[in-house]
Amino acid sequence: MLAATTFAHVPHPAPTADAVRAGLVADPGFGKIFSDHMVTIDWTEGQGWHSATLGPRQPIALDPAASVLHYAQEIFEGLKAYRLADGTMALFRPEANARRFNASAQRLAMPELPEDLFIEAIRQLVAVDADWFPSVEGGSLYLRPFMIATEAFLGVRPAKEYKFIVIASPAGNYFKSGAPAVSIWVSDYTRAAPGGTGAAKCGGNYAASLVPTAEAFAKGHDQVLFLDAAEHKWIEELGGMNLFFVMADGRIVTPPLTGTILPGVTRDSLLQLAAEEGLKVSEEPYSLDQWQADAASGALLEAFACGTAAVVTPVGKVAGRDREFTIGSGGPGQLTQKLRSRLVSIQRGEAPDPHGWVLKL
Ligand SMILES: *Cc1c(COP(=O)(O)O)cnc(C)c1O
């Protein structure tokens, strides 16, 4: 197996000037600007992973017949590096991302990457590009590991060559409006069906979500909500975030992991934190009709979406073809804010970390 020392380091010929970088990281937005370097590791059938390189971020040369361009053999991850009070860079539960990356690889018939190599690749990139950490409140260095099928072959079968890449992007706030609570549109499209790829973090899922997402934006909403494919009744998740419901009786509900929703690291962390707060945590199917009825009756107090990019985001309004309702007062709920700040303070090293979730780099 490849060890840390086997990463070739290719010096950057012209790193971004300090003053230019300072301007960029002062208002990074989300996913718009990128650091100077990237990691690449190649996989070839019969040889395994090889040619690990930390080098300048640059375009990748692909044969026009590369499988990823035709059959979408692609998976990705998303996680953030934080700067702790003492200046150390840290990751939040990266081994969970490494595990999920391999689960996605299995589903997309791609080779698995050893978990320690996944984390080492990130460690090397963060080390060289730590200066790209944004200078804004609540900022982070968003990391995007991904894998593509690079073999030039138009036959339909799993490719025999792949490239794993990690890039980094300074990040501020995810939602462009910066709104305290978001409005979501219930789509008539479906995102994932039983037996499909809903639990894998693959680009194909996102490709299929773009029309519904554009529809939500066009109708003035911030995000799209998908229901289950079979009955179009049960709440699954947003385009890229899991959902939670806070009930008046002290329960917190989230849809179960049945293979059609993405098993979020944030979701899992919040389930543990909510239980520690004394809430009764319940992973159970919850229907859109029930949500509307509970919001109206007061049985439901709050709802929020969660994911690495946006952390915890309150849901204020829900609208669909034949309905529209408000959650609580339409603003951020108390428990939502409490869970968010508990999670964020652990991630940023400002609170004790009893679960060992924070990995100092
Ligand atoms: C990545 C992702 C999430 C959130 O997962 P986290 O690990 O919490 O970032 C939720 N839903 C979808 C569809 C995703 O791709």
Side-chain angles (χ1 to χ4, degrees), residues 154-175:
L154 294 181
V156 180
R157 57 141 172 79
K160 296 179 178 183
E161 289 167 24
Y162 297 88
K163 194 179 277 291
F164 170 75
I165 304 177
V166 191
I167 54 175
S169 174
N173 270 331
Y174 182 75
F175 285 107

PDB file of all heavy atoms in Angstrom, residues 154-175:
ATOM      1  N   LEU A 154     -15.570   2.814 -24.549  1.00  0.00           N
ATOM      2  CA  LEU A 154     -16.997   3.133 -24.663  1.00  0.00           C
ATOM      3  C   LEU A 154     -17.905   1.942 -24.392  1.00  0.00           C
ATOM      4  O   LEU A 154     -19.131   2.078 -24.425  1.00  0.00           O
ATOM      5  CB  LEU A 154     -17.303   3.722 -26.047  1.00  0.00           C
ATOM      6  CG  LEU A 154     -16.663   5.092 -26.322  1.00  0.00           C
ATOM      7  CD1 LEU A 154     -17.052   5.599 -27.718  1.00  0.00           C
ATOM      8  CD2 LEU A 154     -17.091   6.119 -25.269  1.00  0.00           C
ATOM      9  N   GLY A 155     -17.322   0.785 -24.159  1.00  0.00           N
ATOM     10  CA  GLY A 155     -18.165  -0.352 -23.779  1.00  0.00           C
ATOM     11  C   GLY A 155     -18.711  -0.118 -22.384  1.00  0.00           C
ATOM     12  O   GLY A 155     -18.133   0.622 -21.601  1.00  0.00           O
ATOM     13  N   VAL A 156     -19.849  -0.734 -22.093  1.00  0.00           N
ATOM     14  CA  VAL A 156     -20.455  -0.492 -20.783  1.00  0.00           C
ATOM     15  C   VAL A 156     -20.052  -1.596 -19.808  1.00  0.00           C
ATOM     16  O   VAL A 156     -20.564  -2.706 -19.852  1.00  0.00           O
ATOM     17  CB  VAL A 156     -21.990  -0.383 -20.892  1.00  0.00           C
ATOM     18  CG1 VAL A 156     -22.596  -0.134 -19.513  1.00  0.00           C
ATOM     19  CG2 VAL A 156     -22.367   0.754 -21.828  1.00  0.00           C
ATOM     20  N   ARG A 157     -19.085  -1.266 -18.972  1.00  0.00           N
ATOM     21  CA  ARG A 157     -18.624  -2.117 -17.865  1.00  0.00           C
ATOM     22  C   ARG A 157     -17.793  -1.234 -16.948  1.00  0.00           C
ATOM     23  O   ARG A 157     -17.410  -0.131 -17.332  1.00  0.00           O
ATOM     24  CB  ARG A 157     -17.783  -3.303 -18.380  1.00  0.00           C
ATOM     25  CG  ARG A 157     -16.568  -2.889 -19.203  1.00  0.00           C
ATOM     26  CD  ARG A 157     -15.346  -3.756 -18.915  1.00  0.00           C
ATOM     27  NE  ARG A 157     -14.252  -3.474 -19.835  1.00  0.00           N
ATOM     28  CZ  ARG A 157     -13.418  -2.431 -19.734  1.00  0.00           C
ATOM     29  NH1 ARG A 157     -13.584  -1.527 -18.774  1.00  0.00           N
ATOM     30  NH2 ARG A 157     -12.432  -2.259 -20.588  1.00  0.00           N
ATOM     31  N   PRO A 158     -17.521  -1.701 -15.722  1.00  0.00           N
ATOM     32  CA  PRO A 158     -16.683  -0.881 -14.840  1.00  0.00           C
ATOM     33  C   PRO A 158     -15.330  -0.603 -15.486  1.00  0.00           C
ATOM     34  O   PRO A 158     -14.723  -1.497 -16.078  1.00  0.00           O
ATOM     35  CB  PRO A 158     -16.522  -1.754 -13.590  1.00  0.00           C
ATOM     36  CG  PRO A 158     -17.705  -2.675 -13.620  1.00  0.00           C
ATOM     37  CD  PRO A 158     -17.993  -2.937 -15.076  1.00  0.00           C
ATOM     38  N   ALA A 159     -14.866   0.643 -15.375  1.00  0.00           N
ATOM     39  CA  ALA A 159     -13.586   1.022 -15.992  1.00  0.00           C
ATOM     40  C   ALA A 159     -12.418   0.333 -15.283  1.00  0.00           C
ATOM     41  O   ALA A 159     -12.559  -0.200 -14.178  1.00  0.00           O
ATOM     42  CB  ALA A 159     -13.421   2.534 -15.933  1.00  0.00           C
ATOM     43  N   LYS A 160     -11.273   0.352 -15.942  1.00  0.00           N
ATOM     44  CA  LYS A 160     -10.080  -0.283 -15.381  1.00  0.00           C
ATOM     45  C   LYS A 160      -9.026   0.742 -14.966  1.00  0.00           C
ATOM     46  O   LYS A 160      -7.927   0.394 -14.590  1.00  0.00           O
ATOM     47  CB  LYS A 160      -9.492  -1.259 -16.404  1.00  0.00           C
ATOM     48  CG  LYS A 160     -10.466  -2.414 -16.714  1.00  0.00           C
ATOM     49  CD  LYS A 160      -9.924  -3.389 -17.729  1.00  0.00           C
ATOM     50  CE  LYS A 160     -10.935  -4.526 -17.922  1.00  0.00           C
ATOM     51  NZ  LYS A 160     -10.446  -5.560 -18.835  1.00  0.00           N
ATOM     52  N   GLU A 161      -9.373   2.036 -15.081  1.00  0.00           N
ATOM     53  CA  GLU A 161      -8.457   3.093 -14.649  1.00  0.00           C
ATOM     54  C   GLU A 161      -9.263   4.215 -13.989  1.00  0.00           C
ATOM     55  O   GLU A 161     -10.326   4.594 -14.510  1.00  0.00           O
ATOM     56  CB  GLU A 161      -7.709   3.693 -15.854  1.00  0.00           C
ATOM     57  CG  GLU A 161      -6.681   2.778 -16.470  1.00  0.00           C
ATOM     58  CD  GLU A 161      -6.208   3.305 -17.830  1.00  0.00           C
ATOM     59  OE1 GLU A 161      -6.304   4.527 -18.081  1.00  0.00           O
ATOM     60  OE2 GLU A 161      -5.758   2.466 -18.627  1.00  0.00           O
ATOM     61  N   TYR A 162      -8.720   4.718 -12.880  1.00  0.00           N
ATOM     62  CA  TYR A 162      -9.416   5.776 -12.137  1.00  0.00           C
ATOM     63  C   TYR A 162      -8.423   6.810 -11.641  1.00  0.00           C
ATOM     64  O   TYR A 162      -7.229   6.530 -11.506  1.00  0.00           O
ATOM     65  CB  TYR A 162     -10.148   5.177 -10.920  1.00  0.00           C
ATOM     66  CG  TYR A 162     -11.238   4.202 -11.327  1.00  0.00           C
ATOM     67  CD1 TYR A 162     -10.937   2.855 -11.529  1.00  0.00           C
ATOM     68  CD2 TYR A 162     -12.537   4.633 -11.539  1.00  0.00           C
ATOM     69  CE1 TYR A 162     -11.919   1.957 -11.927  1.00  0.00           C
ATOM     70  CE2 TYR A 162     -13.538   3.748 -11.931  1.00  0.00           C
ATOM     71  CZ  TYR A 162     -13.221   2.411 -12.127  1.00  0.00           C
ATOM     72  OH  TYR A 162     -14.190   1.535 -12.518  1.00  0.00           O
ATOM     73  N   LYS A 163      -8.963   7.980 -11.337  1.00  0.00           N
ATOM     74  CA  LYS A 163      -8.149   9.031 -10.721  1.00  0.00           C
ATOM     75  C   LYS A 163      -8.890   9.554  -9.503  1.00  0.00           C
ATOM     76  O   LYS A 163     -10.074   9.866  -9.570  1.00  0.00           O
ATOM     77  CB  LYS A 163      -7.890  10.163 -11.727  1.00  0.00           C
ATOM     78  CG  LYS A 163      -6.780  11.126 -11.302  1.00  0.00           C
ATOM     79  CD  LYS A 163      -6.555  12.221 -12.340  1.00  0.00           C
ATOM     80  CE  LYS A 163      -5.656  11.798 -13.487  1.00  0.00           C
ATOM     81  NZ  LYS A 163      -4.241  11.586 -13.097  1.00  0.00           N
ATOM     82  N   PHE A 164      -8.180   9.596  -8.378  1.00  0.00           N
ATOM     83  CA  PHE A 164      -8.687  10.197  -7.142  1.00  0.00           C
ATOM     84  C   PHE A 164      -8.040  11.570  -7.012  1.00  0.00           C
ATOM     85  O   PHE A 164      -6.834  11.709  -7.209  1.00  0.00           O
ATOM     86  CB  PHE A 164      -8.306   9.317  -5.944  1.00  0.00           C
ATOM     87  CG  PHE A 164      -8.562   9.950  -4.602  1.00  0.00           C
ATOM     88  CD1 PHE A 164      -9.854  10.056  -4.104  1.00  0.00           C
ATOM     89  CD2 PHE A 164      -7.514  10.433  -3.825  1.00  0.00           C
ATOM     90  CE1 PHE A 164     -10.096  10.637  -2.859  1.00  0.00           C
ATOM     91  CE2 PHE A 164      -7.744  11.012  -2.577  1.00  0.00           C
ATOM     92  CZ  PHE A 164      -9.042  11.105  -2.097  1.00  0.00           C
ATOM     93  N   ILE A 165      -8.838  12.563  -6.718  1.00  0.00           N
ATOM     94  CA  ILE A 165      -8.343  13.942  -6.640  1.00  0.00           C
ATOM     95  C   ILE A 165      -8.915  14.610  -5.382  1.00  0.00           C
ATOM     96  O   ILE A 165     -10.054  14.319  -4.992  1.00  0.00           O
ATOM     97  CB  ILE A 165      -8.774  14.754  -7.894  1.00  0.00           C
ATOM     98  CG1 ILE A 165      -8.290  14.040  -9.170  1.00  0.00           C
ATOM     99  CG2 ILE A 165      -8.250  16.193  -7.846  1.00  0.00           C
ATOM    100  CD1 ILE A 165      -8.729  14.709 -10.478  1.00  0.00           C
ATOM    101  N   VAL A 166      -8.134  15.460  -4.770  1.00  0.00           N
ATOM    102  CA  VAL A 166      -8.671  16.310  -3.696  1.00  0.00           C
ATOM    103  C   VAL A 166      -8.342  17.758  -4.029  1.00  0.00           C
ATOM    104  O   VAL A 166      -7.188  18.080  -4.326  1.00  0.00           O
ATOM    105  CB  VAL A 166      -8.064  15.987  -2.305  1.00  0.00           C
ATOM    106  CG1 VAL A 166      -8.869  16.712  -1.218  1.00  0.00           C
ATOM    107  CG2 VAL A 166      -8.038  14.493  -2.023  1.00  0.00           C
ATOM    108  N   ILE A 167      -9.364  18.605  -3.991  1.00  0.00           N
ATOM    109  CA  ILE A 167      -9.164  20.041  -4.146  1.00  0.00           C
ATOM    110  C   ILE A 167      -9.716  20.743  -2.901  1.00  0.00           C
ATOM    111  O   ILE A 167     -10.468  20.126  -2.127  1.00  0.00           O
ATOM    112  CB  ILE A 167      -9.836  20.602  -5.427  1.00  0.00           C
ATOM    113  CG1 ILE A 167     -11.327  20.232  -5.463  1.00  0.00           C
ATOM    114  CG2 ILE A 167      -9.117  20.092  -6.674  1.00  0.00           C
ATOM    115  CD1 ILE A 167     -12.087  20.850  -6.648  1.00  0.00           C
ATOM    116  N   ALA A 168      -9.335  21.979  -2.711  1.00  0.00           N
ATOM    117  CA  ALA A 168      -9.763  22.728  -1.523  1.00  0.00           C
ATOM    118  C   ALA A 168     -10.314  24.087  -1.928  1.00  0.00           C
ATOM    119  O   ALA A 168      -9.808  24.718  -2.857  1.00  0.00           O
ATOM    120  CB  ALA A 168      -8.583  22.907  -0.564  1.00  0.00           C
ATOM    121  N   SER A 169     -11.361  24.498  -1.204  1.00  0.00           N
ATOM    122  CA  SER A 169     -12.024  25.754  -1.526  1.00  0.00           C
ATOM    123  C   SER A 169     -12.398  26.496  -0.244  1.00  0.00           C
ATOM    124  O   SER A 169     -13.183  25.992   0.557  1.00  0.00           O
ATOM    125  CB  SER A 169     -13.291  25.437  -2.341  1.00  0.00           C
ATOM    126  OG  SER A 169     -14.041  26.601  -2.576  1.00  0.00           O
ATOM    127  N   PRO A 170     -11.822  27.689  -0.044  1.00  0.00           N
ATOM    128  CA  PRO A 170     -12.213  28.481   1.125  1.00  0.00           C
ATOM    129  C   PRO A 170     -13.713  28.755   1.067  1.00  0.00           C
ATOM    130  O   PRO A 170     -14.235  29.072   0.000  1.00  0.00           O
ATOM    131  CB  PRO A 170     -11.424  29.783   0.964  1.00  0.00           C
ATOM    132  CG  PRO A 170     -10.371  29.500  -0.057  1.00  0.00           C
ATOM    133  CD  PRO A 170     -10.876  28.399  -0.917  1.00  0.00           C
ATOM    134  N   ALA A 171     -14.387  28.612   2.209  1.00  0.00           N
ATOM    135  CA  ALA A 171     -15.846  28.728   2.205  1.00  0.00           C
ATOM    136  C   ALA A 171     -16.337  29.668   3.282  1.00  0.00           C
ATOM    137  O   ALA A 171     -15.855  29.664   4.413  1.00  0.00           O
ATOM    138  CB  ALA A 171     -16.476  27.353   2.400  1.00  0.00           C
ATOM    139  N   GLY A 172     -17.312  30.483   2.915  1.00  0.00           N
ATOM    140  CA  GLY A 172     -18.026  31.310   3.876  1.00  0.00           C
ATOM    141  C   GLY A 172     -19.388  30.686   4.111  1.00  0.00           C
ATOM    142  O   GLY A 172     -19.491  29.520   4.472  1.00  0.00           O
ATOM    143  N   ASN A 173     -20.448  31.416   3.853  1.00  0.00           N
ATOM    144  CA  ASN A 173     -21.795  30.888   4.038  1.00  0.00           C
ATOM    145  C   ASN A 173     -22.306  30.189   2.785  1.00  0.00           C
ATOM    146  O   ASN A 173     -22.104  30.648   1.682  1.00  0.00           O
ATOM    147  CB  ASN A 173     -22.762  32.005   4.421  1.00  0.00           C
ATOM    148  CG  ASN A 173     -22.829  32.163   5.917  1.00  0.00           C
ATOM    149  OD1 ASN A 173     -22.625  31.202   6.660  1.00  0.00           O
ATOM    150  ND2 ASN A 173     -23.089  33.382   6.370  1.00  0.00           N
ATOM    151  N   TYR A 174     -23.002  29.080   2.999  1.00  0.00           N
ATOM    152  CA  TYR A 174     -23.447  28.255   1.885  1.00  0.00           C
ATOM    153  C   TYR A 174     -24.609  28.891   1.126  1.00  0.00           C
ATOM    154  O   TYR A 174     -24.591  29.000  -0.090  1.00  0.00           O
ATOM    155  CB  TYR A 174     -23.861  26.873   2.405  1.00  0.00           C
ATOM    156  CG  TYR A 174     -24.291  25.901   1.339  1.00  0.00           C
ATOM    157  CD1 TYR A 174     -23.348  25.288   0.520  1.00  0.00           C
ATOM    158  CD2 TYR A 174     -25.628  25.578   1.163  1.00  0.00           C
ATOM    159  CE1 TYR A 174     -23.727  24.383  -0.452  1.00  0.00           C
ATOM    160  CE2 TYR A 174     -26.019  24.673   0.197  1.00  0.00           C
ATOM    161  CZ  TYR A 174     -25.072  24.079  -0.608  1.00  0.00           C
ATOM    162  OH  TYR A 174     -25.458  23.182  -1.561  1.00  0.00           O
ATOM    163  N   PHE A 175     -25.629  29.306   1.878  1.00  0.00           N
ATOM    164  CA  PHE A 175     -26.803  29.882   1.217  1.00  0.00           C
ATOM    165  C   PHE A 175     -26.521  31.323   0.829  1.00  0.00           C
ATOM    166  O   PHE A 175     -26.160  32.134   1.665  1.00  0.00           O
ATOM    167  CB  PHE A 175     -28.035  29.797   2.120  1.00  0.00           C
ATOM    168  CG  PHE A 175     -28.594  28.411   2.185  1.00  0.00           C
ATOM    169  CD1 PHE A 175     -28.445  27.638   3.326  1.00  0.00           C
ATOM    170  CD2 PHE A 175     -29.250  27.864   1.091  1.00  0.00           C
ATOM    171  CE1 PHE A 175     -28.957  26.353   3.381  1.00  0.00           C
ATOM    172  CE2 PHE A 175     -29.760  26.576   1.145  1.00  0.00           C
ATOM    173  CZ  PHE A 175     -29.608  25.818   2.280  1.00  0.00           C
TER     174      PHE A 175
END
